[in-house]
Every structure is written in C-alpha cells, then in structure tokens.
Amino acid sequence: DPAMGSGHFLVGAVDYLSDRVLELVYEISGKTFFGSEIYESPLVQKLKEIRKKIVERAEKEGYRIREEKLSDKNLVKRIVLKRCIYGVDLNPLAVELAKVSLWLHTFTVGAPLSFLDHHLKCGNSLIGADPESFEELFSNSLFGSRYKGLLNALKLLEKVQELTDSDISEVEESARIYSQVTQELKPYRKVLDIFVARHFLNNGLQLLIDGTKGNPLDVVEGKVNLEKDKHLKALLEKALKLAEEKRFFHWELEFPEVWHREKKGFDIVLGNPPYVRIQEMKKNKKEEINYFNRVFKTPEGSYDLYILFIEKGLSLLNEEGILGYIVPNKFTKLNYGKKLRKLIANHLNTFVDFGDNQIFPNQTTYTGLLFLTKKERDKAKISRAPHLKGESEIKGWLSEFRKEL
C-alpha cells in the first residue's frame, strides 16, 4: 500500500493471505502423491517449530502457555505479516500507527511484536527514482564491483525474512541485520537522492553522478575531494538535505528483494490513495507540482493527487500483478482524467462506479473501485451501482457483484 495511513488495508491483506495459505495447506496435507508418499507441507513443520519455541521460552521464564492458544491462524498471520506485507506513508506518525494496527491484529500470546521496519516505511511514494532509472544508473560501468553492496543487502534481507521473531532474541537479530542493510544501501540512496534532486536544484548535480568527479559512490561517501569546487560541494549538501526534507523514496532501493527476483515488482498494489487537488498544493508545494508535471505521464489540467498514485501503482506491479484502489469516479468523466484514461485503457480489469451513492459516512465523495492488471487486456468489466440506502445495502450489492466476477 503506497499510502497506507493507519494500515487498514494491510490488516485486511494479512487476513486474506493467511486464510488462503491455510486453506491450501489443509487441502493438500495428508494426501498421497507419487504412489505412496504422504505429503506434509513444510509450513506445517515450521508452525510446529515456532509453537514449540514459544512454549519452551515461556516455561523457561516461569509461566505456562496452552498450545491451543497458539493457533495455526495466529502463527501464519505473523509469517505473512513479516514476509509479504509492504507499506509506505509520507507521515511518520501514520507509519507507527500502521505498525500498532498490525501488531495488535497479529498478537500472539508468548511471542514478542514482530520486526516490521524492513517493510513499513516513511517516505514520499511519488518522489524518487523509479525502477527503470535505478537499473539504468547502477548498470553503468562507473560503479564496477561496488554494485556488490546491493547484493550483500539482498542476502541480509533474506536472513531477516527467515527469522520468525518467535522470541525477543530473533527480533533483536532482525533489527541488527537490518541495520547492516541500511548501512550497505546508504551510499546508493545518496546517489539516487542526487539523481532526483536534479529536478529541484541546479543542473550541476549531474557532474556528481555522471563520472566527471569519479565513481559516484566515492563522491557521496566523501572519498573524492571537492574542496576545489566549493559550489559543487555546497550543491551536494543541499541535495541531500532536500531529499531528507521531502522524504524521497526510491522503491527498488527500499525494497530490493521485490525487484531482484524473477518477477520484478509487486504482486498486488492496493489502497485508498489521498484525494488532494493540485490547486490546494500550489500554495506551498510548487516544487513538487513542477516535479510531478515533468516526471509523470498523467497530469492534466487541475488534476488530483490520486491520479498520480494510480500511475505509480501500475508501474510498481510485476508482469502478473494486479492493482486495486478505492478512488473518486471523477477521472472517468472530467478532463483532468483524460491522460490517465488513455494510460490505463488496456490495463483495465474492472471498474465499479457507485454514482451518487455515498460510501463513506460524513463525507461527500463519488466513489469507484478500480482494478488494473499489468498485462494488457482486450476487455474489461464496468458496472454502475443502483441507488443504495445505507451500509447494509451497499455490502449486499457488493457481495452479489463479487459472485459475477
């Protein structure tokens, strides 16, 4: 979720994935395959190990836990949370609230709170180096063997993912390893910060990353003497400060394991992106607007920020990926949605238009449910809801509509 807020959609994702995983495990475990071999999912053994570890730790500390309290559902939710769920928000308080929501939802007696810093992060989802720029920049021969820092970070992240956090020592180990990941990626982040800061500052920044001053990683780590070029040195400091203030977020660097695999990108992008008219941002966010207009394909007229989140979400999907957003339906009719409509036309899976029905209490919004696929399509399902009264009718109609899909 690229605008996760307090994590409501991610909590739902944890539930859905956990239920589906367990359905599959129960469906195939105990069945006979290849003649006489009885299959047991590796996950079943993993759950036994986690359960045993929690019980033994409790007994060692002087209290007892009944094993039935450690249900498969609870333990699987913890695994799904740590390995499969990703979220970003511009507001650091929202990130902490999302962690609390997910911790409460996956609370397991006798087990500590899971380590989540590797997947729930603070940043501006719309401002940063896109994966294509990342690949173009770091595939340059300028970086040579220094590319290995990214590979080291990937190996360390695999270790973090494998730790189940079933006791406090594993949580601490997750935090320790992730601290190493952060250090490995720090110089790469600075290079990307400079790359993006070019849109906000003097073009002289290009000299710091095009090899003119040497290996860009050496430049940002202070291994290149810039004392003779005080202007460039000041520009470098200004760029890094700007990146911190505006919270640049480089998706491939923040979640490298998502892109450095066979299917590059996310399987699912979901959420309810913010609805903010550009006119409202013009008062104090002119730099950001100029950046959006240069970097994104879909800005048109007096557009709304959710337009950019749709474009960004589609770009983050892998080749089999699906996007699902709750968004205003206005982009389907108004001029500012013209470029977006063109962009998503061949990716549209389903659109549900609620018309004048008010879905959110105490708010006047004209809502739609948008589902896109990364793969291009030659047909889509579009439906307009009838006049519905109250939450129960809306839920009932949606339930029937889902059966048609």
Side-chain angles (χ1 to χ4, degrees), residues 5 13 20 61 76 142 225 350:
R20 188 69 184 122
E61 293 182 3
V76 168
L142 280 169
N225 190 345
T350 305

Side-chain angles (χ1 to χ4, degrees), residues 23-24 42 70 153 161 224 293 322:
E23 279 175 23
L24 291 170
L70 303 173
Q161 303 266 47
V224 173
N293 291 342
I322 301 171

Side-chain angles (χ1 to χ4, degrees), residues 126-128 196 199-200 287-295:
L126 300 177
I127 302 181
V196 174
H199 293 284
F200 297 87
E287 287 182 327
E288 282 86 340
I289 293 171
N290 290 335
Y291 173 84
F292 297 150
N293 291 342
R294 281 198 298 269
V295 171

Side-chain angles (χ1 to χ4, degrees), residues 6 9 28 50 121 141 149 162 170 174 182 196 223 259 286 311 329 333 337 354 367:
S6 60
F9 285 88
I28 62 175
I50 295 171
K121 298 191 175 188
S141 59
E162 287 299 320
E170 287 196 355
S174 292
T182 303
V196 174
K223 295 177 181 178
W259 270 270
K286 287 184 179 178
E311 180 181 339
N329 59 24
K333 312 175 186 75
F354 283 96
T367 306

Side-chain angles (χ1 to χ4, degrees), residues 142-284:
L142 280 169
F143 292 91
S145 63
R146 296 293 297 280
Y147 195 74
K148 69 181 183 182
L150 289 169
L151 301 178
N152 290 341
L154 280 168
K155 289 175 184 175
L156 291 168
L157 280 167
E158 284 177 14
K159 292 180 182 178
V160 174
Q161 303 266 47
E162 287 299 320
L163 289 166
T164 60
D165 295 351
S166 53
D167 64 44
I168 195 66
S169 66
E170 287 196 355
V171 176
E172 291 170 350
E173 179 69 355
S174 292
R176 186 191 66 76
I177 295 173
Y178 188 63
S179 178
Q180 289 179 254
V181 172
T182 303
Q183 286 303 118
E184 289 279 4
L185 296 179
K186 196 172 183 179
Y188 297 91
R189 182 174 289 108
K190 287 181 178 180
V191 171
L192 290 173
D193 285 343
I194 295 169
F195 180 81
V196 174
R198 295 174 310 153
H199 293 284
F200 297 87
L201 301 173
N202 188 303
N203 282 335
L205 282 171
Q206 184 66 27
L207 298 174
L208 298 172
I209 57 173
D210 67 2
T212 302
K213 296 296 179 180
N215 186 322
L217 292 172
D218 289 336
V219 172
V220 298
E221 288 186 286
K223 295 177 181 178
V224 173
N225 190 345
L226 295 176
E227 289 303 322
K228 292 181 181 179
D229 198 335
K230 295 190 183 298
H231 171 70
L232 262 186
K233 184 180 180 183
L235 204 55
L236 170 61
E237 292 170 358
K238 192 174 181 180
L240 297 179
K241 185 179 179 183
L242 180 78
E244 189 176 346
E245 289 172 353
K246 296 194 181 296
R247 299 186 176 130
F248 291 177
F249 194 83
H250 316 298
W251 284 88
E252 186 167 344
L253 192 74
E254 297 296 342
F255 304 127
E257 72 277 19
V258 175
W259 270 270
H260 290 263
R261 58 177 186 152
E262 189 176 345
K263 291 196 296 182
K264 299 176 185 293
F266 290 98
D267 300 297
I268 300 288
V269 172
L270 49 67
N272 180 17
Y275 315 156
V276 182
R277 294 301 296 271
I278 286 302
Q279 291 99 315
E280 295 173 29
M281 294 181 65
K282 282 181 178 176
K283 300 169 189 174
N284 53 10

